[in-house]
Amino acid sequence: MKNALIQKYNVPGPRYTSYPTVPYWNETEFEYQNWIDTLQRSFKESNSTDGMSLYIHLPFCESMCTFCGCNKRITKNHEVENPYIEAVLKEWSLYCKMLPEKPMIKEIHLGGGTPTFFSNKNLEDLINGIFSYATIAPNHEFSFEGHPNNTTYKHLQKLYELGFRRVSFGVQDYSPVVQKAIHREQPFHNVAKVSFWAKEIGYTSISHDLIFGLPFQSSKDIIDTIEKTESLQPDRLAFYSYAHVPWIKGNGQRGFKDEDIPKDKEKRQLYQIGKELLLQNGYHEIGMDHFALETDSLYEAAKSGSLHRNFMGYSASKTKLMIGLGVSSISDSWYSFAQNEKNLEDYYQLLEWDKLPIYRGHLLTDEDLIIRQHILNLMCQFHTSWENKNYYFKEIPDILIQLQEMERDGLLILTKDSIQVTENGKPYVRNICMAFDLLLKRKAPETALFSMTI
């Protein structure tokens, strides 16, 4: 039965780090001023209580990883660091001039690219520059992504001194064959070294990113990777499905053939093997693709019902306003989305003109806001309800009819005013969310947009 369900529901679908998803943004009706207005509205509603989040995109990498779909610039020239830091701080200063008071920052995440491409000095200048305009919120959470091959003890020490307590190391898989195919060759020793350093320095949450469904990956590789991971006891980990999206411009996914990638039943089996090993060793499944020990804040957030999901993935803290700084970053005011220029030179040019480097966005409608909340509920709590009439919309009866087949398949439980995803239904939560995605229903994609859901 499981294999039949995989075949049935393994279709292209969004990961729902946002709703509406980026391909369905109404860019033609979005104006620059929309973003400014909703930014200021959200800031006024939340700054004195919740604070805001910052995502800072640091796009440079010394080499191309062929599994990666992120916006990056490949270079070994470290002279690019200073101009980029200056540009990000210029962008931040433009934002701060639009705000009525000093922002209070609850969450910072340095993503990439490779944040540890940058020197300690430049990372220090970046964070100090951010806080020359801002204050730190109580119970803040600062995190960054570290490459095990180039993260130094000094990187970890300096960022710890600057308030960072979470670090995520990109592992992917320990098989030499898989690592060669994805051009990410890093020995276990390197991962162990940086993990032990982080614990020694005092980081309270160390995360490892793993991927299943990579080219040439076998069940033996998954077992070996999970066993090595367990020996290091990261506090949390992401166990992602490889998203094969070679059609995206600038994507590095050209180093292997389609037939080299595990699919359908074979791919899902890799996840099941890894999941069972993790559960046996004290990890709890959190939302979609994430696991955490009981001592980690992500587990506590899932248990208390405060788990949140945004463009950075799952988070133990929620803010209404998230500003994305740097090339290609996406910002979220809750009422609208805005994305920066993807091209580095265009990003620099707009900043030289003292203009926020935004090139597209979406102003959420009342319908969008309701559906967004339902999708967030499903992705974070595996449950949603419209008992409160504010969360009811006229297409609900049609959605319930559509989901009846999933109920017969044992994936969820329906009532007249709620949906509860079952344990068997958790791997299909993206498919369940798609039933709420009215924009996707109204206009099916004419070209490949999304990775497979299972």
Side-chain angles (χ1 to χ4, degrees), residues 219-244:
S219 57
K220 182 181 176 182
D221 298 327
I222 289 290
I223 292 169
D224 179 63
T225 294
I226 296 295
E227 287 179 346
K228 284 185 168 69
T229 300
E230 288 167 351
S231 73
L232 301 177
Q233 283 287 289
D235 301 279
R236 68 173 74 166
L237 54 91
F239 190 31
Y240 291 113
S241 167
Y242 166 60
H244 190 54

Side-chain angles (χ1 to χ4, degrees), residues 164-184:
F164 287 74
R165 296 295 182 268
R166 274 200 56 233
V167 55
S168 176
F169 295 118
V171 175
Q172 324 320 339
D173 187 280
Y174 286 114
S175 162
V177 174
V178 174
Q179 287 188 359
K180 184 176 180 181
I182 64 174
H183 202 231
R184 177 75 175 222

